[in-house]
Amino acid sequence: MKNYKFDLSGKNAIFTGASGVLGGHMAEALIECEANVAMSYNSNSGPVDERISRLSKPGSTLRGYKVIYMNPEEIARFLPRPAQPGNHDP
């Protein structure tokens, strides 16, 4: 774990583009600060799955969601849901 100066315990974060390199590292920083993180991706769940597997610990709240941002129904499906324990949507 990196030595960040932020304690985000109990805070919720939604991070879009979490399967990319930059977005993924930013999502990891939030996770390392103990935030509950919902990560979205467009088509490649692999990096999000890997982050969830590697960074999950008992009581952690990490979740991945496939969201196509050009589709309003997809956005509506994603936004009202908080991060919850477990992996990504099937």
Side-chain angles (χ1 to χ4, degrees):
M1 179 184 214
K2 306 233 182 345
N3 189 15
Y4 292 106
K5 296 180 181 181
F6 301 102
D7 179 10
L8 300 177
S9 301
K11 303 292 183 184
N12 298 318
I14 297 174
F15 207 94
T16 61
S19 65
V21 175
L22 183 59
H25 285 291
M26 291 177 164
E28 283 190 27
L30 292 171
I31 293 166
E32 290 174 358
C33 290
E34 307 294 328
N36 301 317
V37 180
M39 297 171 275
S40 71
Y41 58 90
N42 183 17
S43 60
N44 184 9
S45 68
V48 171
D49 291 341
E50 187 276 328
R51 281 182 183 88
I52 290 171
S53 295
R54 181 168 44 87
L55 299 171
S56 286
K57 56 187 175 185
S60 67
T61 330
L62 310 177
R63 187 144 177 151
Y65 298 93
K66 178 181 174 75
V67 180
I68 300 169
Y69 287 98
M70 299 301 290
N71 183 333
E73 291 83 24
E74 287 282 313
I75 296 169
R77 182 183 65 86
F78 170 63
L79 289 179
R81 297 172 11 178
Q84 295 185 10
N87 270 334
H88 65 86
D89 285 347

